[in-house]
Amino acid sequence: MQDKIQFEYNGKVVDLPIFKGVKGEQAIDIRQLRNTTGLVTYDPGYKNTGSCQSAITYLDGEAGLLMHRGYSIEDLCENCSFIEVIHLLIFGNLPTTSEKDEFLNEIREKSLVDEDLKGILKSFPKTAHPMCILASLTAGLVAFTPHLGSYTGIDQMRSSIIKLLAAFPILASWTHRKSRGLPLNYANTSLSYVGNIAYMMFRQPHMEYYPNPIEVKALNKLLILHADHEQNCSSSTVRIVGSSHADLFPSIAAGLSALWGKLHGGANQAVIEMLIQIIKDGNNIQKFIDKAKDKKDPFRLMGFGHRVYRNFDPRSKLLKNIAKEVLGQKKNVDPILETAIELEQRALEDEYFISRKLYPNVDFYSGLIYRAMDIPTKMFTVMFALGRLPGWIAQWIEMRQNNEPIGRPRQIYVGHKSRRLK
Ligand code: SDX
């Protein structure tokens, strides 16, 4: 395999080194390109551009593989709890039993936020989208914990990481309670990390709260399946914001805004809205398949396609089984599941989707599960964020540990050459 590429430009022979990742992917190192040739590269959306070297997650889009720190997503989803995967992503290893207990206890001790944060919450209208509230509350955390968030080395970051892992689920649960006019819950530190998330979201003060074990188990898997996904839009946002040496909490707040977009984490909400639209329109699935294929129609099949996967998203296969398990325990089966399964089947048999290698992604089934848990559609991206938080933290820490330069892409100028006022 070549260790460099060579090309001629302006009568000069240019050598650019090629280096390989541990799984064999190769990259042209263009760090000296502009110095040696005056050229820059052009790659809108960075479809062909590696922004960093990372040891956190590996994706093989052709094979439909996803691994975190060397473990397959199937292995982690089957055998681990979300708190263990959080530890793996951020600190590099699955925790021993004593490490897990210590980690969870540190989080429990920090599971309280300043009561004044409720003032920010109260200032929003009940109709505000939970993601805009959560991004504001997360950025607001800086004001109440000024001594946390600045990077001074992984060991010193532990208390900031613990605080964020403790506070974020509280703030996320508040966005849900606010939207339904319900009283806010405090953390219940007698429960597991995920059991506490369910408790804070669903416990009603006037009734005994009994967690639904099937739903808590499903929520564990859902959060694991959303935990990290290498350099996706929101993780790249967290990295580039952090590269300016912005603190951890505002960098995560920026990631929340990126995740909110319906081409990214907002897709799980858009999938349900699309399925409801199909059913309301008479359940004519082929009509919507044709709309998605029509270049003149802006409609896209939400939950389908992926920048990296040119095969099944391994998460969507696991989520389909979880959806069947969670929905199967419900008395009245949600008609939306049948529509989703038929829509998937038709798209997978359609030449347009086959030729473009468009498969269901992580968002296609996740919304169905949240809906079965009586989580409002507007909260689906908040659930995605609850899962993605450890990935964002791990990516931010790695970027600072590697002392990466401030992110500042180049451009090709196509505006006016020169104009004068007089
Ligand atoms: C997530 O990056 C990550 O890892 C993200 C994520 C994570 O865990 O962080 O996996 C989470 O964001 C999953 C994606 C959720 N988004 C959606 O489900 C929205 C619908 N999907 C599309 O918008 C699209 O597939 C993207 C945004 C996901 C990917 O877009 P790309 O890589 O820029 O692909 P493209 O737009 O260049 O599409 C290539 C072709 C085009 O057709 P042609 O111009 O070749 O004729 O495929 C078509 C597109 O029009 N196409 C679709 C389609 N997705 C792509 N056509 C109809 N419906 C779709 N969903």
Side-chain angles (χ1 to χ4, degrees):
M1 207 169 281
Q2 284 178 260
D3 59 2
K4 67 179 178 182
I5 63 156
Q6 195 172 70
F7 62 98
E8 199 177 311
Y9 180 70
N10 272 354
K12 213 175 130 194
V13 174
V14 183
D15 286 347
L16 290 177
I18 289 178
F19 68 92
K20 263 191 344 182
V22 297
K23 302 288 265 184
E25 73 278 33
Q26 299 181 77
I28 303 169
D29 183 344
I30 59 167
R31 282 176 291 183
Q32 292 308 317
L33 179 67
R34 193 166 186 277
N35 289 343
T36 51
T37 66
L39 291 167
V40 296
T41 58
Y42 175 62
D43 188 21
Y46 312 114
K47 293 192 176 188
N48 303 284
T49 299
S51 60
C52 62
Q53 297 182 48
S54 179
I56 302 167
T57 289
Y58 173 71
L59 291 189
D60 180 332
E62 279 64 37
L65 283 183
L66 170 59
M67 305 178 87
H68 295 313
R69 304 279 189 193
Y71 296 101
S72 74
I73 191 63
E74 293 81 5
D75 207 355
L76 294 172
C77 199
E78 189 54 38
N79 302 301
C80 296
S81 62
F82 182 49
I83 193 69
E84 290 168 325
V85 172
I86 290 175
H87 191 282
L88 172 69
L89 288 170
I90 296 174
F91 301 106
N93 291 300
L94 287 167
T96 60
T97 307
S98 60
E99 284 170 336
K100 183 172 80 171
D101 294 345
E102 182 200 347
F103 187 45
L104 203 45
N105 287 335
E106 286 177 86
I107 292 172
R108 285 170 172 154
E109 280 159 22
K110 297 242 169 127
S111 292
L112 205 56
V113 293
D114 193 298
E115 286 287 303
D116 285 350
L117 271 164
K118 290 180 181 175
I120 302 176
L121 184 71
K122 283 201 178 78
S123 68
F124 282 94
K126 207 177 276 172
T127 53
H129 196 288
M131 283 298 280
C132 93
I133 300 176
L134 186 55
S136 307
L137 289 172
T138 305
L141 266 180
V142 185
F144 296 91
T145 51
H147 55 297
L148 291 177
S150 306
Y151 183 78
T152 47
I154 176 75
D155 297 335
Q156 296 80 356
M157 283 304 290
R158 189 178 179 89
S159 48
S160 302
I161 293 167
I162 296 291
K163 183 61 188 173
L164 190 52
L165 290 169
F168 193 77
I170 298 171
L171 303 178
S173 73
W174 283 6
T175 65
H176 171 56
R177 306 291 291 182
K178 161 105 187 166
S179 70
R180 289 196 157 167
L182 295 169
L184 307 179
N185 284 317
Y186 289 96
N188 179 338
T189 55
S190 68
L191 298 171
S192 68
Y193 188 76
V194 175
N196 176 46
I197 289 174
Y199 173 88
M200 292 192 292
M201 285 185 67
F202 303 120
R203 176 222 170 228
Q204 301 295 43
H206 62 297
M207 294 163 78
E208 270 308 305
Y209 173 76
Y210 302 101
N212 175 326
I214 292 180
E215 293 185 0
V216 172
K217 183 175 158 238
L219 195 51
N220 240 309
K221 291 178 184 285
L222 272 159
L223 296 174
I224 290 173
L225 290 169
H226 286 82
D228 189 57
H229 216 238
E230 57 141 86
Q231 304 313 312
N232 60 84
C233 180
S234 54
S235 297
S236 298
T237 301
V238 168
R239 285 182 87 116
I240 202 165
V241 168
S243 73
S244 73
H245 289 193
D247 283 355
L248 177 59
F249 297 174
S251 301
I252 300 297
L256 281 164
S257 299
L259 186 71
W260 192 4
K262 75 174 198 174
L263 293 187
H264 187 18
N268 53 19
Q269 173 179 340
V271 167
I272 296 299
E273 288 164 352
M274 171 188 73
L275 293 171
I276 290 169
Q277 183 193 359
I278 292 172
I279 291 172
K280 273 191 183 148
D281 183 79
N283 222 14
N284 178 348
I285 289 174
Q286 193 54 48
K287 171 183 168 186
F288 284 86
I289 295 268
D290 296 340
K291 275 172 67 69
K293 293 156 60 177
D294 178 358
K295 290 299 163 207
K296 293 189 291 302
D297 191 326
F299 176 79
R300 281 194 159 184
L301 216 47
M302 290 291 111
F304 256 76
H306 198 277
R307 171 60 57 77
V308 175
Y309 289 122
R310 296 302 180 226
N311 194 326
F312 263 91
D313 180 335
R315 301 168 296 177
S316 67
K317 282 186 195 169
L318 295 165
L319 284 163
K320 185 172 182 178
N321 296 334
I322 297 168
K324 286 182 177 169
E325 188 183 341
V326 172
L327 275 80
Q329 55 138 9
K330 294 287 177 190
K331 283 191 259 334
N332 45 346
V333 180
D334 193 337
I336 213 166
L337 178 62
E338 275 92 45
T339 300
I341 291 174
E342 192 188 335
L343 179 65
E344 177 192 31
Q345 203 45 48
R346 292 239 192 154
L348 290 176
E349 290 161 2
D350 187 292
E351 186 44 36
Y352 172 93
F353 292 89
I354 295 169
S355 62
R356 290 168 178 79
K357 300 187 166 109
L358 302 176
Y359 294 91
N361 57 47
V362 68
D363 293 301
F364 190 71
Y365 279 104
S366 54
L368 289 166
I369 303 166
Y370 296 137
R371 184 179 153 91
M373 293 180 182
D374 191 27
I375 295 172
T377 308
K378 272 185 163 184
M379 276 294 292
F380 289 2
T381 311
V382 169
M383 301 310 292
F384 193 138
L386 275 168
R388 189 51 52 90
L389 178 67
W392 286 336
I393 295 171
Q395 298 281 348
W396 189 92
I397 293 285
E398 182 179 74
M399 175 275 304
R400 290 305 305 272
Q401 269 182 316
N402 294 347
N403 199 20
E404 290 185 10
I406 186 169
R408 201 270 184 227
R410 292 285 181 161
Q411 64 161 28
I412 304 297
Y413 177 69
V414 292
H416 291 283
K417 273 194 174 169
S418 163
R419 293 195 283 180
R420 298 173 65 85
L421 281 172
K422 285 198 180 63

